[in-house]
Every structure is written in structure tokens, then in C-alpha cells.
Amino acid sequence: MNFEFTKEEKEFQEEVCEFIKKESTPEMLKETEDQGEIFGGPEGRKIIKKIAAKGWLTPTWPKEYGGLDASEVVSYMIREEMGYNGLPFGFVAAHMSGPTIIRFGSEEMKKAWLPRISSGEVEFALGYTEPQAGSDLSALKLRAEDKGDHFLLNGNKLFNTSCHIADYHWLAVRTDFDVPKPYKGISMMIVDLKSPGITISPLITMAGWRTNEVVYEDVRVPKENLVGEVNKGFYYLMAALDFERMFPLGIFRRLFDEIVAYAKETIIDGKPLSKKPLIRQKLAQLSIEIEVTRLLYYQLAHILDKGGIPNYQSSMEKTFATELTQRITNVGMDILGLYGQLKEDSKWAQLKGKVERYYLTSVVQTIVAGTSEIQRNIIAQRGLGLPR
Amino acid sequence: MDYDFNEEQELLKNAAKGFLSKECKPLFVREMEEDTKGITDELWQKMAELGWMGLMFPEQCGGVGGSYLDLIVLLTEMGYSCLPGPFFSTVVLAGTTIMESENEEMKQKLLPEIAEGKMFVTLALTETTAGYSPDMISVKAQKDGNDFIINGTKLFVPDAHIANQIICVARTKEGEKKEDGITLFLVDANSKGIEVTSLKTFAGDKMGEVVFNNVNVSNTNVLGEIDKGWSIIKKVLQKASIGKCAEMVGGGQRALELVLEQATEREQFGVKVGSFQAVQHHCANILTYLDTSRLMTRQAAWRISEGLPCEREVSMTKAWVSDSCRNLIALSHQSVGGTGFMEEHDLQLYFRRTKAAGVYFGDADYHREIVADAIGL
Ligand SMILES: Cc1cc2nc3c(=O)[nH]c(=O)nc-3n(C[C@H](O)[C@H](O)[C@H](O)COP(=O)(O)OP(=O)(O)OC[C@H]3O[C@@H](n4cnc5c(N)ncnc54)[C@H](O)[C@@H]3O)c2cc1C
């Protein structure tokens, strides 16, 4: 048993933090915040290319594909630190599609895509959700017709974040409408977002950043962009979702540290806020839950490093961590009181308006990548064997 | 990172599970709640023969030389089976106090007897203020030549009714700092002036009021150094807190199993109740409380076992597990329905024990306050 990083891991952690701090620019930090922490903007690409050059974007990948053959613990640790230090931490190509390609893609596909992904050169956008297919992805119907040497795509996608800044669409399509079980007619493909016939329109979220509605009209996709086999896409999609279902708390852990510092420095009625019993209880409780999340998070890495595949544990970590983001931001808003509502560029704004911004952002964390309800279904059914 | 027990610990776990499932059935647990002694000699001797009492004592003191982490394995299974009796008071509280006192003579004298199951010892710590901070120690030990005279009342002393020896935490000096001036005395329970009154508890465990009325104790019975006893008690409290967490985790595991039995057997509206999503989500939350409690307990126990700094982790864990296991049992009751409210259903055993363990050695609020200090608030 051992619940700490090894000496080498700790040293590596410091190296990563130092590098990030050295390479971070105010422009990059601002861009990351404005975009909701996704990857693909010009400033983010600059720093991520440097990080990728060190092998830190995809550390667990084999060396031939631009990885370091490193452990999952190391990989999880880097992602946590990236979040904590204000870098983008949602990577579709490197952390969701890439691992799925490694598992299910052909040799040609691996050669064509993995080096470009691990070097930070390309980013994908997640293309699952449609107006009628949210939690129930088997209901998706963007049609891909087999035209011999290519597929022809027609249909709509909704809430496909990153499409406006990413390069390719990691797209789930329907290749068979006649199967009795709808999930058996789905395929996955990689589509160039600059293809003629694709229209990307903004949808602005309550947190201010953007997601998209995407319309496909007679879009041609080369056959070699099909992932794995036709009509097996739902398995690949599920695998990619499993890779997505882990939530590095970093950015919210950082916010918590800043709220603690605020409580210590802010004097009300001649006493720091941090000496008020109720505030102490609330902040202590959050720090406990952050520790719980740390254990759940690295448990996933531990299971992977042992050669296993996390079962319900990913859903548990994702749910616990994302629900915690809402408790952290809510306590933060309460502690800041009337100041909490002031936006970054307002006179008297505290903590650069971060608390209200993350308070807004936290709402969606328990919805994307499978809602908390879907995760609880998985925990009960996969974890405890209750009837589906 | 390695979250797993080692092979020997897994063996110990399975052996303990097997033994307790035969020797400590729910009916026996209920009998012992009513029994005045609260344990049978037969079971106590069998446990001693398995080496459980001496598990973490050094070999030269008649022990097995195991670690605190090994003990946690055992305590988890004891919690799973609601093991009655004075194992916790004699081994975890008194045994740890004696080990931490680093008094070789006392160790040689007491630990082998405990290991052989021949002696019950308890720790008389809390008083009418019912708390765990050093300023709450007011029972006085006055120096009288080579002896001390102890006066005052200790409350919530576990298994005081059968203890052969009582370790009394007493004040020998009024210091500037409240943790100074506290001394630990080993007192023969038959000494003149000791009066034990049993308390009736809702979890069916045995606790007593111990009144010390001019009790004479020799200075050779001091454990650790005079006036410096609190540093020992601090370590004992850490081990005891996490010990209770292990019991709660074991109990939580059993509660989950009881829920799953009901969920997969009972039908309503023509389907198993476990197919209702409301029940499934209760179950998912139960598993989350259980897994997180287990992980936190393991981490804290590992840190204690390795001698790493652990004050923060121990209090985080006691707070988390006390709250979570209480919530877990409440959800279990809700999921099982009316049957679970019946005395003959085992869930009620865990309902009572979990709350008792939750407040034992400091409830969640108390430990959160320690965490608040530890994170610099
Ligand atoms: C800001 C934002 C960004 C997003 N980014 C992307 C992206 O990049 N790519 C992409 O493909 N998608 C993206 N999504 C879509 C996201 O994954 C879906 O919103 C999510 O899966 C939930 O689907 P829904 O919104 O249609 O809700 P619904 O599925 O309609 O759910 C509504 C309610 O019903 C509950 N519910 C549904 N089914 C069940 C069930 N079986 N059991 C219990 N409860 C159930 C849900 O939990 C929820 O409470 C994004 C969404 C948002 C808001």
C-alpha cells in the first residue's frame, strides 16, 4: 500500500509545474478561461505544442507515437497540474479519440493520426449529441451513406463544443437505419471541419463561452477516415466516453485555495473570516471532499497501471468531482457575499471575478460526458449488478 | 500509488471473515447486547488463539509483530460482523497506550497477558464534559509520598464492568498549556475506592461510569512520563479514530449487502424493487459513500502505520467516514423499506453502531475543526 507519489514522481510534478508557470502567458490564461478550458485557440496551441514536445500531452502512449511509455499515475498528475495552473485541460484528440484509435484503429489510422495528435498539432471536436440524442446516443441519426469511395453525410449535431476552434470532428454517424437495435447501426469517423457543406453556428452558454450547432449538407468523407469497422461505432464511442469520464479537479482546487486565502485575509468586524466557526466548517468540509476526490482520481490511474480497466469507478469519480465543483463555487459565492456577484472588470471585484465565473461554469459539469443520473445508473448497474 | 492490501493482509481478511461468520452470528450479537458481560470466555479464548489480541504487539511481548494496518484489516471484519466485547478497549485503546508508553517493564508485564486473552484492560479518558481535548481532563492525581491519590469521575469508559486494569488519564499539574500536566496511571480495577456503574447504551456496547474516590496508586504504575501523558493519548486517539472508521466501513459493506439482497429478491408492481431507478440511485450513493470511506480509511491507516505525519488525514477521515456511513445506513433503510425497521432485520444493528462509532473519538464537526486548523484557517 502506498498513497503518495514516489520521489521521482514528486520531482517530475515540480518540473511540470515550473515549466507551465514559465511558459504561461496572460493571453493564454485569458483565452483558456474565455473558451471554457477547451483546447484549440491560438494561444493554447502555442503552449500545448511545447508541452507535447516533451511527451507530456500523451505520456502513456508508446514512444513510436510520441508518448513516453509512462504510467497512468504520471499522466493523471500532469492533467491535474495543467488544470490547477490554468491551462486547457479538455483534450478530445489526445485524451479521448487517441486512446480509442490505439485500441480499435487500423495500423494506417494509427500512423496517420497518432503522431499529429501527440505533438499537439491537431485537435478534434466531440461529435455525439444531436437534438433528439442527448443521454440516449443510440438515437442519433446524422446519416452517412456509403458512396463507394466515400461517405456522404447529412444531418445535425447539437452542443458540439470546440468545432469552431478544432481541426477535425470526432463524429458519430448512422450508417444503418434498419437494424432492430439502433445502437448497432452507428459508425465513428474523423471529418475535416473545413469540408464543404459543414455549417458551424454558435450557441452561447450562460457561462459566456461558446458551444455549437453543426449542420452537415452533402459532406464527403473519405473512406479511410472510418474508425475501425462500419456499424461498430457505438463500442468505440462507449470506449471514448470511458476515457472521457474522469475529471481532474485542478482548476476548482485552485479556486478553493484562493477562497481559503481570501477568508484568511478578509477582516470583517475586526476578525478574519477564517475565524468564523461556520466558515471554518464549510471550508474544512470542502477540503475533505477534495481529498476524497484525489483518492478517487488516482484510484483510476492505479487500476489502469495494474493492467485493469476501471469499471464503475470512473463514473463515481466523475460524479463526485463534478458535484463537488458546484459545492466549492457555491460556498465561494456565500463567503464572498455581496462581492461574489461582481464581474471581473467591475470596480470592487474580488478574486478577479473568478468565483461567479466558475459558479456559472460548474452547472454544466454534471451534465456533459453523461449526466450524474446516467453515471448513477452505471454505478448501480455495472458496479452492483442491478437490473438494466 | 498502490491502493491494495498485501497478500498476507488479504489472507488475514478472509480468515477473519470465515471465523466471524461462524462464531459471531447476528443472533449471538443480539444475545451479547443483553448479556451483562457482553462476551463469552469461549469466543475470547478462540480469538486469542488466532493471535488477534497480540496482532500488533511485538514478538518479544507475546505478540505477532504485525502492523497497525493489519489491525485495520481485522477491525473492518469485526465491524462487518458487529463483534461484541472488549477487543477495542483492551487491544486498540489500552494495548496502544501501553505500546506508546514505551515502558518496557509494563509492556513485558501486560502485553503477553492481553495477547493470551487473560486480561481485560480499558482506558478511562473522557469525563462528564464528554470530549477529547486535554482541557477536559479534570480527574486529579495528587502526589502523596511515592504514591498518587486519584479523585474524580470518568465517564463513557468502555467495558469498565469487566476490566481487570484501568488506565486512568489524570491531571497531575495545572500547567499553562492544557496538554501539560496529564499523567497516565495503570490502576487495578479492584483497588479500594473504585466504583463502576454500568451505563445502558443504544448500541448495546458496554460502557461505565468509573468513580475514583481517594484511590491510591504507586508511582511505579505510571505509564510514560509524569505530566507528559497527553502526547501518548494523542497517538492513541488517532489510532482509535481510524479503528472506528474501519469498523464503520465493515458495517457499511454489510449494510450494502443487505440492501442488495432485498433489491434483487423483493418484487413490487411486478418487478424487482432493485429495478426502480430511485432505488438504484440510492444504491449508487451507498456505494459511493462506502468506497470513499474505505479509501480514506486505508490512506489514514497507511500513514499511521508508516509513521508519516497524519493529523490532517486522520481528522479528514474521521469526519468523512462518520458522516458518510451514517448517510449510507439511512439510505439503506430507505431502500429496504419497512422490513428493515424490524428488530429481527440486521440493518438496525448497523444503524445503531454506526452512529455510536460516529461520535466516538470526536464527531464530524469536531474533526472538521481540526482540519480547519490543519489547512491554515
Ligand atoms: C455546454 C455543453 C457542452 C457540450 N459539449 C458537447 C460536445 O462537445 N459534444 C457532444 O457530443 N455533446 C456535448 N454536449 C452534450 C451533452 O453531452 C449532453 O447535454 C448530455 O449528454 C445530456 O443530454 P441532454 O442535454 O440532451 O439531456 P437529456 O438526455 O434530455 O436529459 C434531461 C434529463 O433527463 C435525465 N435522463 C436522461 N436519460 C436518463 C436515464 N436513462 N436515466 C435517468 N435520467 C435520465 C438526465 O439526467 C437529465 O437530468 C454538451 C452540452 C453542453 C450543455
Side-chain angles (χ1 to χ4, degrees):
Chain A
M1 202 172 277
N2 192 334
F3 288 91
E4 284 206 343
F5 292 133
T6 63
K7 191 164 154 284
E8 292 75 38
E9 285 164 351
K10 273 187 205 149
E11 284 166 6
F12 186 55
Q13 186 181 29
E14 272 168 36
E15 187 188 336
V16 171
C17 289
E18 266 167 40
F19 185 80
I20 294 176
K21 278 187 202 128
K22 194 172 94 235
E23 298 292 336
S24 291
T25 60
E27 295 76 29
M28 182 278 295
L29 294 171
K30 173 123 187 34
E31 178 193 276
T32 306
E33 264 177 20
D34 289 349
Q35 288 177 346
E37 284 78 32
I38 54 171
F39 171 53
E43 296 296 329
R45 283 179 192 251
K46 278 189 219 159
I47 187 166
I48 293 304
K49 276 196 186 133
K50 290 184 195 166
I51 285 186
K54 288 182 164 283
W56 295 352
L57 184 57
T58 54
T60 57
W61 291 16
K63 291 213 171 85
E64 53 171 321
Y65 297 132
L68 298 172
D69 278 320
S71 69
E72 294 285 350
V73 166
V74 162
S75 159
Y76 273 56
M77 179 248 283
I78 295 175
R79 293 172 72 172
E80 172 72 13
E81 292 304 338
M82 286 170 74
Y84 189 88
N85 290 291
L87 261 61
F89 68 94
F91 296 90
V92 177
H95 295 160
M96 303 168 205
S97 317
T100 309
I101 293 171
I102 290 180
R103 253 217 241 158
F104 301 108
S106 64
E107 272 316 305
E108 295 79 62
M109 182 161 260
K110 289 183 197 171
K111 286 211 184 79
W113 292 99
L114 296 180
R116 297 174 69 197
I117 293 173
S118 63
S119 61
E121 187 192 321
V122 296
E123 174 58 326
F124 294 0
L126 277 182
Y128 305 151
T129 307
E130 298 181 9
Q132 77 296 344
S135 297
D136 179 12
L137 288 174
S138 70
L140 66 85
K141 55 188 192 192
L142 189 144
R143 174 194 295 265
E145 277 175 277
D146 190 337
K147 293 285 182 189
D149 64 336
H150 68 272
F151 291 103
L152 192 67
L153 273 54
N154 278 289
N156 298 327
K157 289 280 168 187
L158 190 67
F159 302 148
N160 282 199
T161 314
S162 326
C163 281
H164 58 297
I165 50 173
D167 312 286
Y168 295 89
H169 213 174
W170 173 252
L171 192 69
V173 299
R174 180 154 299 283
T175 32
D176 194 337
F177 277 85
D178 301 324
V179 278
K181 299 218 160 136
Y183 75 89
K184 289 190 170 166
I186 291 172
S187 301
M188 286 302 304
M189 44 191 69
I190 300 171
V191 182
D192 189 336
L193 280 162
K194 291 184 290 298
S195 309
I198 296 183
T199 312
I200 301 169
S201 323
L203 294 169
I204 305 302
T205 68
M206 64 186 257
W209 42 265
R210 169 181 173 176
T211 179
N212 305 287
E213 186 180 5
V214 186
V215 178
Y216 275 69
E217 274 172 316
D218 288 334
V219 178
R220 292 166 69 107
V221 179
K223 275 277 170 78
E224 70 255 27
N225 285 22
L226 177 76
V227 179
E229 289 175 51
V230 79
N231 289 337
K232 293 256 171 78
F234 203 68
Y235 297 104
Y236 312 149
L237 188 159
M238 285 294 138
L241 269 176
D242 275 344
F243 290 120
E244 183 180 358
R245 271 179 199 141
M246 50 84 91
F247 188 83
L249 194 65
I251 133 180
F252 290 92
R253 194 163 58 82
R254 172 68 166 264
L255 181 68
F256 173 76
D257 288 350
E258 291 177 16
I259 295 168
V260 167
Y262 177 86
K264 289 205 282 198
E265 286 156 15
T266 307
I267 314 277
I268 305 277
D269 281 347
K271 236 167 69 173
L273 283 177
S274 62
K275 294 293 172 202
K276 287 193 172 180
L278 274 177
I279 289 185
R280 294 170 70 78
Q281 284 282 319
K282 283 184 185 180
L283 290 175
Q285 179 64 22
L286 291 176
S287 78
I288 293 168
E289 294 175 10
I290 289 170
E291 183 66 23
V292 169
T293 307
R294 191 182 79 87
L295 291 178
L296 286 173
Y297 180 71
Y298 286 108
Q299 175 179 239
L300 302 178
H302 166 62
I303 293 173
L304 289 164
D305 281 335
K306 275 198 298 189
I309 295 175
N311 175 287
Y312 68 90
Q313 291 91 347
S314 318
S315 295
M316 190 180 279
E317 193 274 338
K318 194 265 173 185
T319 307
F320 194 92
T322 54
E323 292 182 353
L324 176 55
T325 68
Q326 293 167 2
R327 294 193 289 271
I328 292 174
T329 52
N330 194 41
V331 168
M333 287 296 277
D334 288 349
I335 288 180
L336 264 64
L338 291 171
Y339 290 103
Q341 63 197 314
L342 298 179
K343 296 178 74 73
E344 178 171 17
D345 48 3
S346 166
K347 189 176 176 187
W348 290 95
Q350 303 295 318
L351 301 181
K352 297 195 186 134
K354 243 179 149 178
V355 181
E356 65 85 22
R357 195 163 55 242
Y358 289 160
Y359 180 65
L360 295 170
T361 286
S362 69
V363 172
V364 85
Q365 309 296 354
T366 52
I367 295 172
V368 291
T371 64
S372 290
E373 290 71 31
I374 295 294
Q375 307 303 339
R376 286 193 168 85
N377 293 348
I378 294 174
I379 295 170
Q381 292 164 7
R382 259 201 233 169
L384 295 171
L386 290 172
R388 291 180 72 85
Chain B
M1 299 267 167
D2 179 4
Y3 282 44
D4 300 332
F5 284 122
N6 65 28
E7 222 171 288
E8 289 96 77
Q9 286 160 343
E10 287 295 335
L11 286 174
L12 175 64
K13 175 181 143 182
N14 291 333
K17 205 179 247 329
F19 176 80
L20 290 169
S21 69
K22 277 208 280 322
E23 303 288 338
C24 181
K25 294 198 162 70
L27 191 66
F28 174 75
V29 173
R30 287 177 173 79
E31 277 168 21
M32 288 301 107
E33 285 190 7
E34 302 300 325
D35 187 80
T36 43
K37 203 169 171 199
I39 182 75
T40 61
D41 294 340
E42 189 199 345
L43 177 57
W44 191 254
Q45 279 315 314
K46 280 187 187 168
M47 284 163 54
E49 277 156 30
L50 287 171
W52 287 5
M53 276 49 138
L55 185 65
M56 61 161 185
F57 299 161
E59 281 168 39
Q60 61 272 26
C61 298
V64 177
S67 67
Y68 176 70
L69 208 48
D70 299 336
L71 184 70
I72 286 297
V73 172
L74 210 50
L75 287 170
T76 310
E77 292 312 315
M78 291 175 172
Y80 180 94
S81 301
C82 298
L83 176 76
F87 184 88
F88 203 94
S89 56
T90 294
V91 175
V92 184
L93 293 176
T96 304
T97 309
I98 295 161
M99 296 237 301
E100 294 290 347
S101 77
E102 289 175 16
N103 181 327
E104 279 312 314
E105 208 174 304
M106 289 283 198
K107 278 162 76 175
Q108 290 298 345
K109 189 174 119 190
L110 300 169
L111 296 183
E113 294 225 30
I114 293 177
E116 285 174 36
K118 289 188 184 145
M119 186 192 273
F120 298 132
V121 192
T122 189
L123 180 68
L125 171 65
T126 41
E127 305 186 2
T128 51
T129 44
Y132 295 92
S133 52
D135 53 299
M136 292 181 177
I137 303 297
S138 70
V139 165
K140 274 210 170 48
Q142 202 117 38
K143 196 144 174 54
D144 180 34
N146 275 342
D147 294 351
F148 285 85
I149 313 278
I150 304 182
N151 274 296
T153 299
K154 289 286 181 184
L155 207 52
F156 307 109
V157 181
D159 307 302
H161 66 306
I162 52 170
N164 309 107
Q165 300 281 337
I166 299 172
I167 299 170
C168 179
V169 183
R171 189 157 290 287
T172 35
K173 203 173 74 188
E174 291 296 341
E176 191 120 293
K177 289 206 305 208
K178 281 293 175 185
E179 53 266 43
D180 291 341
I182 292 171
T183 307
L184 314 183
F185 296 93
L186 184 77
V187 187
D188 191 315
N190 292 319
S191 306
K192 203 164 141 256
I194 289 188
E195 197 180 324
V196 176
T197 309
S198 289
L199 309 172
K200 289 186 184 150
T201 70
F202 98 132
D205 54 341
K206 313 296 174 195
M207 289 195 176
E209 174 206 58
V210 182
V211 178
F212 293 79
N213 192 0
N214 287 325
V215 177
N216 204 304
V217 191
S218 152
N219 67 358
T220 55
N221 277 19
V222 169
L223 279 162
E225 282 179 62
I226 291 181
D227 293 338
K228 302 226 169 98
W230 191 255
S231 61
I232 295 174
I233 293 300
K234 253 178 105 170
K235 289 185 194 157
V236 173
L237 283 175
Q238 289 178 339
K239 289 189 176 170
S241 296
I242 299 306
K244 280 291 154 189
C245 291
E247 285 187 3
M248 285 188 268
V249 168
Q253 175 67 41
R254 182 63 194 139
L256 172 60
E257 290 170 12
L258 291 169
V259 170
L260 292 177
E261 272 172 26
Q262 184 83 346
T264 50
E265 279 164 24
R266 172 148 177 95
E267 291 188 3
Q268 285 293 284
F269 301 98
V271 293
K272 307 282 185 213
V273 293
S275 61
F276 298 125
Q277 197 167 61
V279 173
Q280 292 200 355
H281 285 197
H282 284 336
C283 290
N285 290 337
I286 289 172
L287 186 61
T288 304
Y289 284 131
L290 180 60
D291 278 10
T292 53
S293 294
R294 183 180 284 133
L295 291 177
M296 289 291 275
T297 301
R298 279 191 191 185
Q299 170 175 249
W302 172 75
R303 294 191 74 89
I304 291 176
S305 226
E306 295 291 309
L308 297 165
C310 63
E311 192 177 25
R312 174 177 160 276
E313 285 80 4
V314 165
S315 282
M316 283 186 159
T317 301
K318 184 62 171 56
W320 179 254
V321 177
S322 299
D323 277 352
S324 297
C325 286
R326 186 266 173 276
N327 293 342
L328 179 169
I329 301 281
L331 289 175
S332 301
H333 269 292
Q334 196 59 31
S335 306
V336 169
T339 313
F341 193 61
M342 296 303 111
E343 195 284 328
E344 65 173 19
H345 197 283
D346 291 343
L347 200 51
Q348 55 93 1
L349 299 174
Y350 296 93
F351 183 83
R352 291 180 287 128
R353 277 164 184 72
T354 300
K355 192 64 194 172
V359 295
Y360 221 153
F361 310 115
D363 65 3
D365 289 349
Y366 169 83
H367 282 282
R368 269 191 292 269
E369 180 55 33
I370 297 177
V371 172
D373 275 337
I375 63 172
L377 289 173

